[in-house]
């Protein structure tokens, strides 16, 4: 009987802990890109921006504490929230974002992007391996796949000038962006890329597709078969199809689209699952310590 009195409550506690960890997360009210139609509040904007860091980090598109994602603080403003440059993207939270990065390169580059066009509201700059590899190729991005059609005739190039610490480089970067009508991507040769969005979601989704197009190009180039290249006319047609509202990337004109909300939902589920696992491990560790303490009470 003493055995039962000692172990039964402990057993019940373990079972309840496991059941709680396995229970599906409570459903949250569905929102559109985290905010209502129109420009988001500062809190909502920073929440999207922090989430963008964590999403791209989970896809291996971060680089320690470097690279940066930003968003204008308000339409027409030259001020922007940006990566602080002092922590991993996976750990980025809204309160970590700053108006002036501790990384001078971030301010030089993003200042130039926002000077280039008023409709650029968010920017993702990254050195994802596939993108950086393509940036090192003389021919740059090759339009050979359906995914690349989203970027067709919208990619600008800027030659590498070393670390972007000189503000004099800013106007040259802006001029490159302005030279390509409706430019949504800048490939920075031997460096990386920047994608431009009217929302944080659009900039992130464009980075995803740019990275996928670069991966496809590199895999096709490494195959033994001859690459089939569609005609210019076909790519022009496909690019116009991507302009339709239901297939535009990210959130545009008050319409959240489907990709960015889906990314946010996936991120929430991933982080909640990790939190549940961590809580369960902590609870089990505590129970183990309790068991150790109870050993002395067990009958010999």
């Amino acid at each position: 009987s003493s055995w039962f009195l000692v172990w039964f409550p402990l057993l019940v506690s373990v079972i309840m802990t496991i059941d709680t960890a396995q229970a599906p997360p409570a459903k949250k009210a569905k929102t559109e890109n985290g905010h209502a139609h129109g420009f988001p509040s500062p809190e909502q904007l920073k929440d999207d921006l922090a989430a963008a860091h964590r999403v791209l980090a989970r896809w291996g598109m971060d680089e320690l504490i470097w690279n940066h994602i930003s968003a204008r603080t308000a339409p027409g403003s030259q001020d922007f929230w940006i990566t602080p440059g002092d922590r991993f993207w996976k750990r980025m939270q809204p309160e970590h974002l700053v108006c002036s990065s501790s990384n001078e390169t971030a301010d030089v580059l993003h200042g130039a992007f926002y000077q280039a066009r008023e409709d650029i509201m968010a920017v993702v700059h990254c050195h994802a391996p596939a993108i950086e590899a393509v940036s090192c190729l003389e021919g740059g991005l090759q339009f050979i796949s359906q995914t690349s059609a989203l970027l067709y005739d919208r990619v600008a190039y800027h030659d590498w000038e070393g670390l972007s610490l000189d503000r004099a480089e800013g106007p040259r970067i802006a001029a490159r962006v302005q030279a390509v009508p409706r430019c949504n991507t800048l490939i920075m040769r031997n460096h990386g890329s920047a994608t431009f969005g009217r929302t944080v979601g659009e900039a992130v989704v464009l980075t995803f597709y740019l990275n996928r197009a670069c991966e496809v190009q590199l895999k096709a180039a490494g195959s033994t078969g001859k690459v089939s290249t569609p005609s210019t006319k076909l790519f022009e047609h496909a690019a116009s199809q991507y302009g339709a509202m239901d297939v535009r990337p990210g959130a545009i004109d008050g319409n959240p689209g489907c990709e960015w909300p889906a990314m946010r939902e996936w991120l929430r589920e991933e982080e909640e699952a990790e939190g549940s696992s961590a809580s369960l491990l902590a609870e089990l560790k505590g129970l183990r310590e309790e068991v150790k303490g109870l050993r002395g009470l067990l009958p010999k």
Side-chain angles (χ1 to χ4, degrees), residues 134 140-155 157 184-185 187 205-206 208-218 220 227-231 234-240 242:
V134 168
L141 180 65
Q142 301 298 304
F143 296 98
I144 59 174
S145 66
Q146 175 173 292
T147 300
S148 65
L150 177 65
L151 309 169
Y152 184 76
D153 209 24
R154 294 192 177 193
V155 178
Y157 290 86
N184 62 16
T185 301
I187 292 182
V205 172
L206 282 170
F208 173 86
Y209 285 124
L210 170 63
N211 187 63
R212 179 61 60 87
C214 289
E215 288 177 336
V216 169
Q217 176 180 332
L218 295 171
V227 176
S228 170
T229 303
S231 67
L234 182 53
F235 265 114
E236 289 173 348
H237 172 62
S240 69
Y242 269 119

Side-chain angles (χ1 to χ4, degrees), residues 103-116:
N103 180 346
E104 188 176 354
T105 298
D107 290 337
V108 170
L109 293 178
H110 290 250
F113 300 145
Y114 292 118
Q115 286 284 349

